Amino acid sequence: MYFWKYWRDTRRGVFVYLGVLIWIVLFWMYAIYRANRLHNIGGDPLILWAMMVGVTFSFVYMCAIVMGLILGTSNVGSDFAKGTAEFLLTRSRSRRYFVWTGWLTGMAELLSLMIVTGFIVVGATAFATGPVWRRVPSPIRFQVDQDFIDIPKMVLAAVLMAALVFGLTYFMSVLLKSRQRGVIASLGILTAYQAVNVILKDWARISLPSLDLMERAYASETWHLSPQVVMLFWAVLALAFPFAAQVALDRKDI
Amino acid sequence: MTEYAITTAQLAKIYPGVRAVDGLDLRVPRGSIYGFLGRNGAGKTTTIRMLMCLASPTHGSASILGLQWPADRLAILQRVGYLSEKKLLFEAMTGRDLMRFNRPYFPRWSDEAAKRYAERLEIPMDRAFRKLSQGNRTKLCLLLALAQGAELLILDEPTSGLDPVVMDQLLKVLIEDYAGEGRTIFLSSHNLAEVEKVADWVGIIHQGKLLLEAPLEEIRADFRRVAASGNNLPAQPKAQIFSVASSGSFTEYFVRNDAERFAAGLRAQGAAVLETSPLNLEQVFLQLVKKEEPCISGNIGATPAAVSSSI
Amino acid sequence: MFVRVNSASGLPLYLQVESQIKHAVAAGALKQGDALPSVRKMASDLRINPNTVARAYQDLERDGLIRTVPGGGTYVADHVPGLLKTEKMKRLRPYAMQLAVEGTHLRLSPDEIVKLVEDSLDELGVKP
């Protein structure tokens, strides 16, 4: 029943997120409605659709990062801080079970939230623009000016982003036996990584695998790994985090 | 069916600078109520956490209910009910939620037993854990351990922080429902009076080592205080003497066994043996674990009662 | 059935239980054939170890004061234990010695000590 416990621990965060999201979206819809009154949202459906896709994925990425950080702290690590780890880990299951069940439940919650977010935002903007995607010849993969927009790739990138942020926070929370320390460490590592990336780009012309998988730095002159390798690297790392959490927990004295 | 519920062999937990548990050899007979006594920091909780596979030993081994430890960890956890020193459960869950959470982990879980305990212990089952008083929290933790259908209960200071009424309720339920029939209770406690009423066996741990492990009846039958006065009396603990206190020409000996023969030996030396009296558990404990003190001189002519109060 | 034990009194708990049951029988509060509580019930009422109660019951049964029925139930025995008079006297001698020692210590006269015993018998309702 551990996934049930996980859900009980996280449901408030989920509902708050959904509440905030819906509030923002309603406000957004109101703004669009007002804008619609004044200007006609006409124009090139391709550009409109590209904008919608962009906005939707922005929201989805935000969800991945914010909820990845928040959900990533709800695990055995937080039980240590609350003093309930001794109870939990004397239930007759392996410690591995608790790590992986938590990870799977958290990932399921996170991905569900991202999907819901995507639908809500698309739905809300479509409220103003109508089903723009019907007026576009190839809505899944298309090109606007110099940008190639590949929706499946963006979905994959979003999922990887979510898995990375969630996984990193999850691992840190378990390792450091605390929610706060887990989140702070995770944010710290992400920020430091970005900082190092920027520095290396400027000084040594090296691009580390970017967290923003859509980044067009791949077209620039810095040394970089090919996008496929980067994706693979992130995927492996995302799965490595729960393994690392398992190892960390197995070896620990509670 | 093994004879012992718990055995340990040179179990040790050594941190840099601290030997929390230092070569412990426990033998807890099946079906007994075993009181595990020791001062704060003596190593009781560390030992218990190792037995529950929460911490790993530096060296040594153990066997619980005949199972391999810690290899058969999951089987052990299924058959052992645990009450941790912290007595904390998930704060947002109610008693009912916690029952629902706990159920799948234990094949012998009984909802009916849980309801019965909830009634007898008067636990509000629909209130969130964080809103429960200390007494109710402990009772709820115990309920979960009892309803689990465990063969062995390991309780870490179950009555600490409880008011006398709750303590009484707990003891009643433990004895009525649990003791005997091959089920074992291993409890650590500071409450010596209560352990004395309830325990079959007693183990005293001090600075990580087991000072004494014996049936309580044997302690009552054999341990004696011998008060004597005279010259050239032995001044240091040795052989059966485990503690000595002297004041002026009066000396108190605390002996483990053969008190009569010891007293006769003193008389043969020309000493006057004033009294041989039995010891209760608290006195035995205090004499075993107190720091070694040099002989206190002065108080010449003091009565033995004054001697013991000056310790 | 009101048995109470005092763990601080220095007298072993099982002896306290035995002596209180004997007292009750002697005073007529427990009659022949009356049922005693089960070991577990008495232990939980007193909050003491069931083995302690079991030992008291065993001793009493060995002395012939109570008997257990196969299938459960413990009852006060139907007949007086068949001990020889000399055995009975031997049993009581330590108690008599203790009384004598204490009495002498307190400087009571032999008559006063005997009166104490007679008064106790009176209280129990045992007629001379």
Side-chain angles (χ1 to χ4, degrees):
Chain A
M1 290 307 267
Y2 184 62
F3 62 84
W4 177 65
K5 187 239 182 213
Y6 191 95
W7 163 243
R8 289 286 304 257
D9 281 349
T10 51
R11 70 179 177 190
R12 196 201 290 174
V14 165
F15 290 145
V16 165
Y17 169 79
L18 286 174
V20 168
L21 176 70
I22 289 175
W23 193 85
I24 292 180
V25 162
L26 285 175
F27 187 77
W28 166 267
M29 283 169 67
Y30 176 69
I32 294 179
Y33 178 67
R34 291 295 304 269
N36 216 356
R37 287 289 221 44
L38 302 172
H39 318 279
N40 220 344
I41 295 203
D44 184 356
L46 193 63
I47 295 185
L48 261 182
W49 174 233
M51 273 173 56
M52 267 177 80
V53 168
V55 163
T56 305
F57 273 92
S58 299
F59 270 82
V60 170
Y61 283 135
M62 275 320 309
C63 173
I65 296 173
V66 168
M67 289 314 280
L69 282 170
I70 292 177
L71 289 175
T73 60
S74 270
N75 52 44
V76 184
S78 70
D79 279 303
F80 278 105
K82 291 189 204 147
T84 49
E86 283 176 6
F87 171 72
L88 186 65
L89 297 173
T90 45
R91 307 305 94 193
S92 68
R93 289 282 186 280
S94 61
R95 295 187 191 180
R96 183 183 328 162
Y97 163 86
F98 290 112
V99 169
W100 282 95
T101 307
W103 187 84
L104 284 167
T105 313
M107 279 303 294
E109 284 182 20
L110 185 55
L111 293 176
S112 309
L113 281 179
M114 287 160 68
I115 292 172
V116 165
T117 304
F119 274 109
I120 287 181
V121 174
V122 163
T125 43
F127 191 70
T129 63
V132 178
W133 53 89
R134 295 221 186 106
R135 290 147 56 191
V136 171
S138 153
I140 308 292
R141 286 189 186 78
F142 55 93
Q143 180 172 2
V144 177
D145 296 338
Q146 300 300 327
D147 295 331
F148 290 92
I149 297 190
D150 184 337
I151 292 188
K153 196 155 160 235
M154 290 171 86
V155 168
L156 180 60
V159 168
L160 281 178
M161 169 90 83
L164 282 170
V165 174
F166 176 75
L168 175 64
T169 314
Y170 196 89
F171 170 57
M172 285 282 121
S173 299
V174 170
L175 185 69
L176 301 175
K177 291 181 166 181
S178 147
R179 305 183 73 148
Q180 286 102 319
R181 280 184 264 166
V183 146
I184 291 171
S186 181
L187 274 173
I189 290 177
L190 289 169
T191 315
Y193 183 82
Q194 285 293 70
V196 165
N197 205 356
V198 166
I199 293 173
L200 280 180
K201 240 192 272 195
D202 273 348
W203 282 23
R205 296 273 162 221
I206 293 178
S207 259
L208 291 176
S210 169
L211 287 170
D212 175 6
L213 295 117
M214 303 318 302
E215 200 187 302
R216 273 171 273 132
Y218 302 129
S220 75
E221 324 77 40
T222 57
W223 175 91
H224 58 270
L225 296 166
S226 76
Q228 286 79 8
V229 175
V230 166
M231 291 268 191
L232 191 62
F233 172 69
W234 288 136
V236 166
L237 192 63
L239 282 176
F241 282 130
F243 267 114
Q246 175 191 319
V247 167
L249 192 63
D250 264 336
R251 296 246 197 95
K252 252 188 217 314
D253 280 348
I254 309 303
Chain B
M1 205 47 152
T2 45
E3 200 188 329
Y4 292 108
I6 304 175
T7 57
T8 69
Q10 288 295 298
L11 195 63
K13 183 71 174 166
I14 300 175
Y15 300 105
V18 178
R19 304 181 81 92
V21 179
D22 200 1
L24 204 64
D25 290 319
L26 285 175
R27 298 244 181 305
V28 178
R30 261 204 203 236
S32 68
I33 300 182
Y34 188 106
F36 192 42
L37 310 174
R39 300 192 59 183
N40 291 332
K44 300 191 299 295
T45 297
T46 311
T47 305
I48 287 179
R49 282 154 99 245
M50 283 198 280
L51 291 176
M52 293 308 298
C53 306
L54 289 169
S56 51
T58 311
H59 56 79
S61 66
S63 170
I64 299 187
L65 297 172
L67 295 165
Q68 290 257 30
W69 175 94
D72 285 339
R73 190 174 145 258
L74 297 186
I76 291 175
L77 290 177
Q78 264 184 15
R79 292 160 63 182
V80 176
Y82 174 54
L83 184 72
S84 107
E85 192 189 27
K86 289 204 183 91
K87 306 181 188 69
L88 284 173
L89 298 174
F90 307 129
E91 56 183 21
M93 288 198 185
T94 66
R96 248 176 260 289
D97 290 336
L98 286 161
M99 272 172 55
R100 189 178 158 198
F101 174 82
N102 213 29
R103 198 185 301 130
Y105 298 108
F106 304 108
R108 275 177 251 184
W109 175 270
S110 158
D111 265 346
E112 214 191 273
K115 288 199 181 82
R116 254 190 2 240
Y117 290 127
E119 267 172 42
R120 280 162 62 196
L121 292 170
E122 298 173 330
I123 309 171
M125 292 300 272
D126 289 311
R127 207 177 292 172
F129 187 79
R130 61 167 170 263
K131 297 199 185 132
L132 293 177
S133 64
Q134 176 68 42
N136 280 330
R137 287 184 183 194
T138 305
K139 287 196 272 189
L140 185 54
C141 291
L142 189 66
L143 179 156
L144 292 180
L146 288 172
Q148 185 186 317
E151 291 160 53
L152 164 65
L153 282 183
I154 295 185
L155 311 175
D156 199 345
E157 302 207 22
T159 55
S160 77
L162 298 183
D163 73 53
V165 174
V166 175
M167 238 194 272
D168 195 59
Q169 281 176 322
L170 282 187
L171 280 182
K172 186 161 198 281
V173 166
L174 276 179
I175 294 171
E176 198 159 12
D177 252 38
Y178 209 82
E181 291 173 23
R183 289 194 277 195
T184 315
I185 302 179
F186 179 85
L187 66 107
S188 75
S189 179
H190 284 312
N191 192 335
L192 297 176
E194 157 200 303
V195 169
E196 190 161 21
K197 278 169 74 170
V198 135
D200 296 296
W201 277 76
V202 156
I204 298 182
I205 182 173
H206 186 58
Q207 292 174 345
K209 293 191 168 59
L210 201 62
L211 287 187
L212 172 67
E213 182 180 73
L216 197 50
E217 271 314 308
E218 204 177 279
I219 295 178
R220 284 213 198 97
D222 293 346
F223 279 60
R224 291 285 181 267
R225 172 183 153 264
V226 178
S229 101
N231 302 318
N232 295 328
L233 294 174
Q236 295 302 326
K238 66 164 192 233
Q240 71 203 120
I241 309 172
F242 64 87
S243 185
V244 182
S246 58
S247 166
S249 58
F250 292 92
T251 312
E252 261 188 323
Y253 295 99
F254 296 87
V255 298
R256 291 175 195 270
N257 48 39
D258 278 339
E260 286 309 318
R261 193 137 52 101
F262 175 72
L266 289 180
R267 282 194 210 99
Q269 273 188 274
V273 173
L274 299 152
E275 192 183 25
T276 304
S277 52
L279 295 166
N280 68 18
L281 189 58
E282 185 179 352
Q283 292 163 320
V284 170
F285 180 80
L286 285 174
Q287 290 304 322
L288 274 175
V289 307
K290 69 169 188 183
K291 283 201 167 72
E292 288 303 305
E293 284 183 4
C295 292
I296 309 164
S297 52
N299 278 347
I300 296 174
T303 60
V307 168
S308 60
S309 66
S310 70
I311 294 171
Chain C
M1 169 96 223
F2 286 100
V3 174
R4 284 284 169 260
V5 293
N6 182 358
S7 63
S9 84
L11 190 62
L13 296 175
Y14 76 94
L15 280 181
Q16 293 184 37
V17 173
E18 277 180 46
S19 99
Q20 289 198 29
I21 294 179
K22 284 183 190 169
H23 193 128
V25 172
L30 275 181
K31 302 194 193 20
Q32 292 168 4
D34 279 353
L36 288 173
S38 71
V39 168
R40 183 172 300 275
K41 180 84 177 48
M42 177 160 302
S44 83
D45 282 344
L46 294 174
R47 321 287 192 259
I48 60 177
N49 194 300
N51 291 333
T52 310
V53 176
R55 181 169 173 182
Y57 278 24
Q58 267 168 28
D59 286 351
L60 290 170
E61 185 162 14
R62 191 198 57 215
D63 288 350
L65 197 69
I66 65 177
R67 60 183 175 84
T68 41
V69 168
T74 316
Y75 302 88
V76 179
D78 285 341
H79 53 269
V80 172
L83 285 175
L84 290 173
K85 183 88 167 252
T86 46
E87 180 61 38
K88 293 183 192 174
M89 297 298 267
K90 191 166 148 205
R91 289 262 186 101
L92 273 186
R93 194 165 306 267
Y95 294 100
M97 177 56 82
Q98 194 169 1
L99 190 57
V101 164
E102 291 292 324
T104 317
H105 192 66
L106 291 170
R107 304 206 208 288
L108 291 177
S109 75
D111 280 338
E112 284 167 326
I113 298 174
V114 170
K115 176 112 187 14
L116 277 174
V117 176
E118 285 176 351
D119 286 344
S120 296
L121 286 167
D122 253 341
E123 249 180 83
L124 277 180
V126 176
K127 303 296 174 225

